[in-house]
Amino acid sequence: MHGPFAYKWERVKEKGGNIVARTLAWHETLEIHELVASQTICLIQFKSVVRNVSDAGLRELYTFSIRALEKNIRDLLQFYPQAPREEETEENEERQTNPGFQAGELLTASKTAVRNYAAAITETATPALRTVLVRHLNSAIDWHARVFNYMHEHGMYQAYNLSQLLNNDVRNANRALQMREEE
């Protein structure tokens, strides 16, 4: 395969004769991207607000959540070197962090809404409620499209450049991991 989305799929024989891929598949790479991106946004948000949590039990939950997200992100980042890479030259163009992060929050929220409404519809037996949930799902889909289009048009989401998408994930995740909890 040649072109902007070509990559070399390497196979290696391990002990026992099993053949395993040295690179991740595209679909699993994109799932990891979604997990890292959404958990990074949550980590930044939690670290930003934990200092304002006065209830000791709730503060402990925030601290627990922060540690769990940090571990998840670190675990997932280990797979990034195995991600397929595009064979195109990339421009190192730094995007503005603040508007990109703000738009990323909206994108994560809209994706969550789509998933939650879709799941809720599968649990609904009441026709009137199903009608409302379907209407809300369609609104959430429209919301997602608007946010995605905004981000794509403003260079904040490189959906068609996998290498840049993954590089942005690593950069943002490392920023979140290095961020101090303000007390």
Side-chain angles (χ1 to χ4, degrees), residues 51-66:
R51 71 177 177 274
N52 298 325
V53 177
S54 58
D55 180 270
L58 185 56
R59 185 179 178 96
E60 190 277 326
L61 282 174
Y62 264 90
T63 301
F64 174 83
S65 300
I66 287 168

Side-chain angles (χ1 to χ4, degrees), residues 24-146:
L24 298 174
W26 283 89
H27 67 282
E28 60 190 353
T29 300
L30 293 174
E31 288 298 329
I32 291 171
H33 151 71
E34 293 293 341
L35 291 167
V36 169
S38 64
Q39 290 183 73
T40 296
I41 287 171
C42 290
L43 181 59
I44 290 169
Q45 181 64 20
F46 293 171
K47 284 184 173 184
S48 297
V49 301
V50 68
R51 71 177 177 274
N52 298 325
V53 177
S54 58
D55 180 270
L58 185 56
R59 185 179 178 96
E60 190 277 326
L61 282 174
Y62 264 90
T63 301
F64 174 83
S65 300
I66 287 168
R67 298 298 169 258
L69 288 171
E70 287 175 337
K71 182 182 181 326
N72 292 353
I73 292 168
R74 283 188 183 101
D75 287 348
L76 292 172
L77 285 177
Q78 293 177 35
F79 289 94
Y80 273 58
Q82 297 173 32
R85 298 292 175 178
E86 297 173 0
E87 293 180 349
E88 62 185 17
T89 58
E90 298 177 18
E91 296 178 10
N92 287 332
E93 189 173 272
E94 190 69 27
R95 63 182 175 158
Q96 296 179 359
T97 305
N98 196 21
F101 178 74
Q102 292 168 340
E105 285 182 312
L106 291 172
L107 188 67
T108 297
S110 68
K111 286 180 180 184
T112 300
V114 169
R115 290 178 180 133
N116 289 346
Y117 275 108
I121 288 168
T122 67
E123 300 296 331
T124 303
T126 305
L129 177 57
R130 178 183 302 277
T131 299
V132 170
L133 295 178
V134 168
R135 187 174 71 242
H136 287 195
L137 173 61
N138 286 327
S139 293
I141 292 168
D142 291 341
W143 175 28
H144 173 266
R146 289 184 66 171

Side-chain angles (χ1 to χ4, degrees), residues 4-20:
F5 298 105
Y7 67 94
K8 185 177 179 184
W9 186 72
E10 298 180 41
R11 297 186 319 169
V12 178
K13 257 192 185 172
E14 289 187 336
K15 289 182 181 177
N18 295 330
I19 296 178
V20 295

